[in-house]
Every structure is written in structure tokens, then in C-alpha cells.
Amino acid sequence: MPEDLIYEGKAKKVFATDDPEILLHRYKDDATAFNAQKRGSWKDKGKTNATMSAAIFTYLEAHGVPSHFIEQVDETTIKTKRLTMLPVETVVRNVAAGSLSRLLGFEEGRKLSSPIVELCYKNDELGDPMLNWYHFRELGVSDEDLKFCEELGLKVNQVLAPFFDERGVTLVDFKIEAGRDTGGTLMLADEISPDTCRFWDKVSGERLDKDRFRRDMGGMEEAYAEMLRRVTEITQRGAVD
Ligand code: UDP
């Protein structure tokens, strides 16, 4: 399939294909944090992010959550539908960490009494601020689209929190994005990986996600490989059972 680079981001490249409705997302080993002020790279990060996203999108589809995902093409590349993205990052949280701990003064690790959903404006210049519905309306994002994001976030959490729990991992929080296909249908998009989720080992509390990089903890390669192993090995066994 001929490839035509249409976008290069911090951690991935997106290519157009000869089918105008289909894109390729190729995940890189590069990472940035704090709005690209911090940069790094580690082995097999792109492979983990592509392969884990593929496994999770497949699992979500089987549990009633359609997404842009079509198939994994190679170790670091997935094929997707082309969507028009909403400028919204939906964050769902089960346990206090990161910016929520700062916002509410909660100690990291405090279990929330029920999941919290936050809607953030996808805008690097502004640092992806959390906005309310009035702000979004002013920016031209409809209430219906925000309602879709909230419900999607809660549904993804409902499916994935037990999925990770069975694999010995607490799904602390995660960020998802959504977009519209050419027929106008909204669906889940982007990626679901240790770059976009907080994963804590249920027993040791060890962090198995991008916080290791953000917080200079080291061991990113091992943590990403461990998360990929837990997702794919058990998923494959589950498929045979
Ligand atoms: N997140 C993300 N992209 C962003 C901001 C956050 O994927 O631009 C994810 C992050 O990995 C975490 C969740 O969203 O799983 C909540 O992040 P938080 O708001 O606590 O931000 P942080 O503390 O990382 O600045």
C-alpha cells in the first residue's frame, strides 16, 4: 500500500493510503512529556503501543465499543478508519493520581468512590486545559458530542477496569479520544497504551506506564514489555479457552 505521511506527532506518524477512508498509524519509540519539554526514547515502545492498542480495541469491539481500529499491519503499525477528530480528550479516573491529586489535594492512590470523568480541550498551546460545557459550547463543541465522550469514557472504563484487574493491574486512569467517520458516526479513536493510561501493579503498586519516564524513575523498557506481556499473553490464552 503506498504511504503518504500526513502527520507526524510526538510518538507516532500517520500515513494516508490509496483508500481515502483508511489511515496507517505507526508508533515511534520516542516519548515526550510536559508538553514536549522533556524528551526520551526506549526500545520497543512503538511495538507495545501499537500491539496493546490493537489487542484492546479488539477486546472493546467484542464488548460493544466500536473504534477506528481495523487491523494491525506490522509490529508498530495499525490500520484505522479515517475520522474527523473531536478536539476533546476524555480522562476517566478510578484512583487519584497526577493532576487530580493536585486539583483536589488527594494523596496519590486514594480510591475514588466512583469514576470521575474530565473533559479537556485538545490544544497543545493551552496545555490541554480541563473545560466545562459552557467553554466547549463557545468553542463549537456540541453538548451531544460531550455527552458521547462522557458515556464512551465510562463504558470503556467499565470494560477495561476488570480486564486489567484480571491481569494483576489497577487501571488508575486513562485518556481517550473520539472522532466521526464519513457517515457521521462518532467512535473511539487514537490509542490505549501505557502512554495514555496509568497502570499500577495490584500487589506491589509498581508503576507500569509513562509515569516512569515523566518522573525519572527509569525501567520504562521493562515496564512497557511487562504490560504488553500481561495484555497479549492472557488475551491469547483467553481466545483459545
Ligand atoms: N494523559 C494523556 N495525554 C495527555 C494528558 C494525560 O494520555 O495529554 C493521560 C495520562 O497518561 C493519565 C491520564 O491521562 O493516564 C490523566 O493524566 P493527568 O491529568 O493526571 O495528567 P498528568 O499528571 O500526566 O499531567
Side-chain angles (χ1 to χ4, degrees):
M1 208 180 262
E3 295 178 0
D4 178 17
L5 182 68
I6 54 172
Y7 164 82
E8 178 155 10
K10 304 160 206 166
K12 75 174 177 195
K13 290 179 178 174
V14 179
F15 299 91
T17 67
D18 49 11
D19 182 335
E21 305 222 349
I22 297 204
L23 299 177
L24 296 174
H25 299 239
R26 181 158 302 143
Y27 290 90
K28 307 195 274 189
D29 286 345
D30 300 335
T32 59
F34 311 120
N35 219 348
Q37 287 169 46
K38 182 179 166 91
R39 288 167 190 278
S41 176
W42 55 95
K43 189 173 168 294
D44 288 342
K45 174 177 181 288
K47 173 184 158 188
T48 290
N49 289 5
T51 309
M52 192 189 292
S53 291
I56 290 176
F57 284 138
T58 303
Y59 186 83
L60 283 167
E61 171 100 52
H63 289 77
V65 185
S67 73
H68 69 159
F69 177 73
I70 298 172
E71 64 178 354
Q72 186 166 8
V73 175
D74 62 36
E75 265 199 350
T76 60
T77 313
I78 63 170
K79 186 191 281 186
T80 74
K81 290 180 188 150
R82 180 182 217 135
L83 303 182
T84 304
M85 299 298 290
L86 295 181
V88 180
E89 298 196 342
T90 304
V91 173
V92 182
R93 303 170 178 277
N94 298 304
V95 175
S99 66
L100 182 78
S101 292
R102 293 191 291 277
L103 186 71
L104 298 183
F106 284 3
E107 207 174 305
E108 282 210 315
R110 170 167 162 171
K111 195 174 167 353
L112 303 172
S113 49
S114 62
I116 289 179
V117 183
E118 296 172 353
L119 298 169
C120 303
Y121 180 37
K122 193 173 162 61
N123 184 311
D124 283 340
E125 260 171 56
L126 299 177
D128 300 339
M130 177 164 54
L131 301 184
N132 68 31
W133 293 46
Y134 294 86
H135 299 128
F136 274 113
R137 245 172 247 149
E138 188 64 28
L139 293 167
V141 182
S142 71
D143 290 8
E144 292 72 31
D145 288 358
L146 293 180
K147 189 161 178 284
F148 176 86
C149 291
E150 272 195 8
E151 286 171 0
L152 178 70
L154 289 170
K155 172 76 184 174
V156 167
N157 189 49
Q158 220 173 54
V159 175
L160 291 187
F163 171 89
F164 284 108
D165 187 74
E166 282 164 20
R167 288 154 180 81
V169 172
T170 303
L171 179 59
V172 171
D173 56 34
F174 62 89
K175 182 268 299 179
I176 53 170
E177 297 181 27
R180 258 196 185 84
D181 69 11
T182 43
T185 304
L186 275 171
M187 67 188 75
L188 176 63
D190 199 45
E191 67 179 285
I192 296 186
S193 75
D195 273 14
T196 61
C197 304
R198 284 195 170 95
F199 297 129
W200 293 359
D201 183 272
K202 254 166 64 178
V203 176
S204 66
E206 191 187 356
R207 288 165 194 265
L208 298 170
D209 57 54
K210 193 173 162 188
D211 269 349
R212 302 200 72 87
F213 169 66
R214 294 188 189 102
R215 301 179 185 197
D216 292 321
M217 298 165 81
M220 285 85 78
E221 193 182 322
E222 295 74 14
Y224 276 54
E226 177 61 16
M227 277 310 303
L228 182 59
R229 191 190 68 75
R230 291 198 198 186
V231 167
T232 54
E233 280 185 9
I234 304 177
T235 303
Q236 278 158 18
R237 199 175 64 218
V240 172
D241 283 348

